[in-house]
Amino acid sequence: MAATVTLEPAGRCRWDEPVRIAVRGLAPGQPVTLRASLRDEKDELFRAHARYCADAHGQLDLERAPALGGSFTGLEPMGLLWALEPEKPLLRLVKRDVQTPFTVELEVLDGHDPEAAELLGRAVNERDFLAPGVRREPVRVGRVRATLFLPPGTGPFPGILDLFGSGGGLCEYRASLLAGHGFAVLALAYFRFEDLPKYLNNVCLEYFEEAVDFMLQHPKVKGPSVGLLGFSKGGDLCLSMASFLKGITATAVINACVANTIAPLHYKDMIIPNLSSDPGKYKITESGLLNLEDIWNDPLEKPNHRSLIPLEKAQGPFLFIVGMDDHSWKSEFYAQIASERLQAHGKDRPQIIYYPGTGHCIDPPYFPLCRASVHAVLDQPVFYGGEPKAHSRAQVDAWQQIQTFFHEHLNVSNFSLMLSGSKKLKPKRNLVGDT
């Protein structure tokens, strides 16, 4: 091996941090291939590669040199991560144990044939999900099944409840990363975990109320309110929580429906039925994947009105993150319904950020796009949409937008002013394109 691979920061960093990759010791203009590989906790292999040429000094800096081909093209300093693809089809890269890093092996190969080339150099990038000093605390209090992540320091910290979608289980990786940015985050399970229900047949909002109360009573959480972050089914649950429960300042949802979905929602003596669907309207893609976008009935049609979530009852602002190539359901349409409903009731319109070329599964930065995978509950291959380059850029921007939204709204002064009516928050409507 004749080349040296350098990483900045060297060796170890957070998963949501960019890393600068450079190579020196090459011949001037030398053609090389860079290859990245990662194995998840189930030992499944994910790989990406790109072809480059060294500069006149025999050096290669991915922040300056465009990829000439391979898994991606163009100037993409983090392309070797976001372009990772599973060796076996229909696998999604997720982090199951946030207490250990993902290890990314980077190799420099001579020439532009990654399978038959001589290895010139290599480096290892360990990517953590717990920033230094972040504490992970399992929560088994009453009925609540969750994990709390606390930033370093004495606190108290602004609190967020984090919910994932219809796959169930307890997903911690988004919460653990957010805690590294100064938030106390509760990753909350609500089915398919330990002694929680195995199936999502009925949902009782009292369970989520208990989780909110846990956060509000925690000495490390800054009161008098918390924020909510939800993806997919977790998104409409967050909208329902914001509409019916006390102590919620701000709600951010990622590709969520504005109606209650999948299962009836119970709270005290109230029942919100789930939005009806017509499974016969599913489509099969050319690759044999289920496209479920059209199976959901229109919540604005009279028979479905009762499934709509009364967002106008909420006490705080909303942020809608929308992938415009979402094939799980019509996220763009649902966000528009939310905006119109809020304004019709004299409320500020929500902040809506539309991301072209972006699919359903919007993760923190540098996770590769999951266009399709076998759904954990349906046990069928489902098409989620998205184009890799546009989706990767959306994830970077959305991650920052979510943090900015919560930092702005999760504090006592803003919440008190909002309740008193002395200050109106004016959310923005953004459109982020693929540039």
Side-chain angles (χ1 to χ4, degrees):
M1 293 191 292
T4 301
V5 183
T6 60
L7 306 175
E8 295 180 15
R12 199 158 188 157
C13 63
R14 307 297 81 68
W15 178 269
D16 60 343
E17 294 178 7
V19 61
R20 186 171 186 172
I21 304 170
V23 184
R24 66 176 187 270
L26 301 170
Q30 182 176 354
V32 292
T33 298
L34 267 65
R35 184 168 65 193
S37 59
L38 175 156
R39 288 190 180 273
D40 68 8
E41 288 101 331
K42 293 187 176 182
D43 204 37
E44 299 292 354
L45 179 64
F46 294 77
R47 302 175 81 178
H49 74 278
R51 296 186 282 273
Y52 296 92
C53 284
D55 64 16
H57 303 286
Q59 298 180 358
L60 178 64
D61 184 344
L62 268 59
E63 289 192 351
R64 299 178 181 179
L68 306 176
S71 302
F72 57 93
T73 59
L75 189 62
E76 298 291 341
M78 293 295 289
L80 289 170
L81 265 78
W82 62 249
L84 287 166
E85 293 184 351
E87 186 177 48
K88 298 177 183 177
L90 301 175
L91 293 180
R92 180 180 178 182
L93 181 63
V94 297
K95 193 71 178 78
R96 296 173 177 86
D97 179 6
V98 299
Q99 298 175 93
T100 61
F102 267 149
T103 299
V104 182
E105 183 176 356
L106 298 163
E107 297 174 311
V108 182
L109 305 163
D110 186 25
H112 283 168
D113 181 357
E115 300 305 324
E118 176 189 356
L119 179 64
L120 301 176
R122 66 184 298 272
V124 172
N125 179 216
E126 290 190 328
R127 304 186 65 80
D128 284 324
F129 286 79
L130 289 174
V134 170
R135 289 156 289 172
R136 176 185 179 273
E137 298 181 358
V139 176
R140 306 293 185 271
V141 177
R143 293 177 295 175
V144 175
R145 302 293 177 263
T147 303
L148 178 63
F149 294 92
L150 295 170
T154 57
F157 310 100
I160 300 171
L161 282 78
D162 183 26
L163 280 69
F164 271 76
S166 61
L170 179 59
C171 297
E172 299 183 355
Y173 61 89
R174 189 168 62 200
S176 67
L177 290 171
L178 268 179
H181 296 278
F183 301 101
V185 190
L186 186 74
L188 181 63
Y190 54 96
F191 80 111
R192 290 188 73 240
F193 181 73
E194 295 184 353
D195 58 350
L196 294 175
K198 186 175 181 180
Y199 300 104
L200 203 59
N201 295 325
N202 286 284
V203 178
C204 293
L205 205 57
E206 284 86 353
Y207 171 78
F208 301 90
E209 187 172 39
E210 196 173 329
V212 171
D213 289 343
F214 167 81
M215 288 291 280
L216 291 175
Q217 294 167 15
H218 198 286
K220 295 292 186 181
V221 175
K222 181 193 295 185
S225 59
V226 294
L228 305 176
L229 175 60
F231 161 67
S232 193
K233 171 58 189 175
D236 74 66
L237 283 170
C238 286
L239 296 179
S240 294
M241 293 166 68
S243 300
F244 293 106
L245 306 183
K246 297 178 181 179
I248 295 168
T249 303
T251 303
V253 295
I254 302 168
N255 286 332
C257 184
V258 76
N260 178 52
T261 62
I262 301 177
L265 181 72
H266 300 257
Y267 184 55
K268 298 179 179 177
D269 58 352
M270 176 203 71
I271 300 176
I272 296 183
N274 53 293
L275 178 65
S276 60
S277 61
D278 183 354
K281 290 183 179 179
Y282 74 86
K283 298 176 183 176
I284 300 292
T285 70
E286 292 181 359
S287 303
L289 307 171
L290 281 177
N291 184 335
L292 303 177
E293 182 179 6
D294 294 329
I295 72 168
W296 306 97
N297 291 329
D298 186 347
L300 294 181
E301 292 179 353
K302 190 172 182 179
N304 304 314
H305 281 183
R306 291 183 59 229
S307 68
L308 283 166
I309 299 164
L311 305 178
E312 65 277 3
K313 294 184 177 182
Q315 295 299 312
F318 292 98
L319 169 63
F320 284 79
I321 301 293
V322 176
M324 296 181 72
D325 194 38
D326 182 356
H327 285 270
S328 285
W329 51 29
K330 301 181 187 298
S331 297
E332 182 179 359
F333 175 53
Y334 300 150
Q336 292 169 355
I337 294 174
S339 182
E340 292 169 4
R341 183 178 182 115
L342 287 167
Q343 292 179 83
H345 285 84
K347 300 280 187 171
D348 288 327
R349 61 182 173 86
Q351 181 181 0
I352 305 175
I353 309 179
Y354 298 96
Y355 292 101
T358 303
H360 187 67
C361 302
I362 300 177
D363 269 322
Y366 316 125
F367 272 96
L369 164 66
C370 178
R371 298 193 79 223
S373 70
V374 177
H375 192 278
V377 174
L378 298 176
D379 197 30
Q380 295 287 329
V382 175
F383 179 60
Y384 301 118
E387 297 299 328
K389 188 175 290 190
H391 193 96
S392 70
R393 293 179 182 180
Q395 290 188 155
V396 172
D397 187 77
W399 191 237
Q400 186 57 55
Q401 296 280 359
I402 289 167
Q403 293 174 52
T404 299
F405 176 76
F406 284 128
H407 276 303
E408 179 179 355
H409 298 298
L410 288 184
N411 62 75
V412 176
S413 58
N414 271 6
F415 189 57
S416 299
L417 287 168
M418 182 179 62
L419 288 180
S420 67
S422 60
K423 178 179 179 181
K424 285 199 114 182
L425 302 171
K426 297 182 179 179
K428 298 173 286 184
R429 181 179 183 275
N430 296 342
L431 176 66
V432 177
D434 181 19
T435 57

